[in-house]
Each structure stands twice: as structure tokens, then as C-alpha cells.
Amino acid sequence: MAYRDFTLKDLDKKFGIESQVSGLFDVSKIDAVHPSAWLTESLEIGNRLRLNTEKAKSEAVVMPILLELKKRNDYFFTIFSGSNFKVDKERGLNGECDFILSANAKAYIIDTPIISIVEAKNDVLSLGVGQCAAQMYAAKLQNEEDGKPLDVIYGCVTTARDWQFMRLENNQLFIDEEIYVLKELPILLGIFQHIIDYYKAILEPVEA
């Protein structure tokens, strides 16, 4: 078993993680973040391509958004793409991750993971929820084992067009009832910034 094989039922049965749909963010209190000219142009070019594979979507849409956030936050985090995240192979908490954001700008390996981002299979968000949640739980365990426990781990499942966020707090998984779309990019960036600001407030940055 690997991350991609997990369902919410598996997580509940194996690890006691209960899930529920909930509103995660009050958008009226989140500042929109307007994209830079570079990001706007990059996404315009990318959207002219045939984005019919997960790899194409990650390269043309997801990665430019993450790079924009990385630069905006003075390189507070590191982006791991396609990296193997082995936490507990016997319990299935291992496998390749689409994207993991690590709150250590100098990290060579995944250190202090804070956000997992999963590309949904077949353009169906729900198919990525179990995988993302399993990676979020693995991030929680690794941080605890490393002596850097975090009360909250965030995740996001995306089709590149649609984005759905999740929050793991203790053993409760909250799945956002709202789905945000790429056409509302300032709001999407604002939510990511809101999450990053949370971690910047509680973690000591590691300078790049």
C-alpha cells in the first residue's frame, strides 16, 4: 500500500482519523493576492498548451503558482516535487508525492513538511483526497519524530483548474466545502498566503 491507495475509510480504520466537510476559511477576511506579471504571463502561455496529463498540469500551472509564493515569502519554504516521502512503509505511509512544501529553505531532504499538494486523478478532486490526507498524516508523524511537532498540517487537491483545501488537526481531517478555481487566482493565492502566514508566525525561518 502507498499514499495513492489510501481512502478516507482506510485512514479512519488504520489511524483513527475522522473526516468531515467544513468551511475552512472566511474569504471575507483573507486579503486577495494579485499575481505578478510573470505569473500571469506564465499561466497564459501554459493554458495554450494541451494540458491533458498530470505532469503537464503540474509544470504549466501548479509549479508557477508555487514559485510565485516562494518568491513572495522570501523563500520561507522549499518545494519538493515528485520526491519519495518514506515515513512508515509498514503502514503504507510511503511513496512519491506530487508536491510537498517544507518550512526549511535549506532542506535537501523533506524537513518540516507543512503542506501537501496532490494532483487529482482523471480530473476528479475526490479521487485525490485520500492520498493527500495520508501524506498530511505522514507529515504530522515525521514532524513529531523529528521533535518539531505541528498542531496543524494543510493539504490541497487540485485539477489545476479546481482547488480544494484540507486541514489535519490532531486526528480530525477537515475538508473544505468550498472549491476554488484558477480563474479567481487572487483569492487562491490569498488562501495559500494565509496558510503560509500561519506557519511563518509559529516557526523560525531558516535563511536561504
Side-chain angles (χ1 to χ4, degrees):
M1 194 171 195
Y3 294 122
R4 65 178 178 274
D5 300 318
F6 273 94
T7 65
L8 293 181
K9 186 174 182 180
D10 293 329
L11 290 166
D12 187 7
K13 184 176 180 180
K14 287 191 171 189
F15 309 124
I17 298 176
E18 299 179 352
S19 59
Q20 66 180 73
V21 176
S22 177
L24 294 190
F25 310 104
D26 183 350
V27 178
S28 68
K29 296 180 180 178
I30 293 179
D31 294 331
V33 173
H34 294 283
S36 67
W38 172 83
L39 178 58
T40 299
E41 183 177 10
S42 296
L43 294 179
E44 286 177 353
I45 294 171
N47 283 326
R48 295 192 190 111
L49 305 175
R50 294 184 62 189
L51 303 180
N52 52 4
T53 67
E54 292 170 28
K55 186 173 185 294
K57 292 173 184 176
S58 69
E59 293 173 345
V61 179
V62 181
M63 182 57 89
I65 288 174
L66 297 181
L67 289 174
E68 173 97 342
L69 290 163
K70 182 174 173 67
K71 182 178 180 181
R72 175 183 173 83
N73 289 281
D74 297 321
Y75 306 95
F76 169 73
F77 59 85
T78 300
I79 304 167
F80 289 92
S81 175
S83 298
N84 187 48
F85 188 36
K86 183 179 177 181
V87 175
D88 191 332
K89 188 175 182 179
E90 292 185 358
R91 295 198 289 174
L93 298 175
N94 74 109
E96 186 177 289
C97 295
D98 294 331
F99 296 96
I100 290 277
L101 304 190
S102 166
N104 182 341
K106 289 186 174 182
Y108 185 73
I109 59 174
I110 299 173
D111 177 55
T112 319
I114 54 175
I115 306 173
S116 170
I117 300 170
V118 167
E119 298 167 50
K121 306 298 184 288
N122 302 319
D123 274 345
V124 180
L125 287 175
S126 60
L127 295 181
V129 170
Q131 177 183 347
C132 189
Q135 292 174 11
M136 293 162 68
Y137 182 65
K140 169 184 167 66
L141 292 184
Q142 176 168 303
N143 288 329
E144 290 174 351
E145 291 170 1
D146 291 345
K148 305 173 184 177
L150 291 173
D151 293 335
V152 176
I153 299 292
Y154 278 95
C156 183
V157 180
T158 180
T159 64
R161 179 189 64 249
D162 300 328
W163 302 68
Q164 186 171 28
F165 291 88
M166 300 188 290
R167 184 178 75 235
L168 178 64
E169 189 168 358
N170 298 317
N171 268 33
Q172 291 286 328
L173 178 70
F174 300 95
I175 304 168
D176 200 349
E177 62 188 7
E178 297 292 333
I179 294 174
Y180 300 93
V181 296
L182 188 62
K183 288 183 178 180
E184 299 174 341
L185 184 56
I187 295 175
L188 179 63
L189 291 174
I191 291 171
F192 269 114
Q193 187 61 55
H194 175 77
I195 294 171
I196 293 166
D197 286 343
Y198 165 77
Y199 288 112
K200 289 170 78 172
I202 64 173
L203 294 172
E204 288 293 331
V206 177
E207 294 183 0

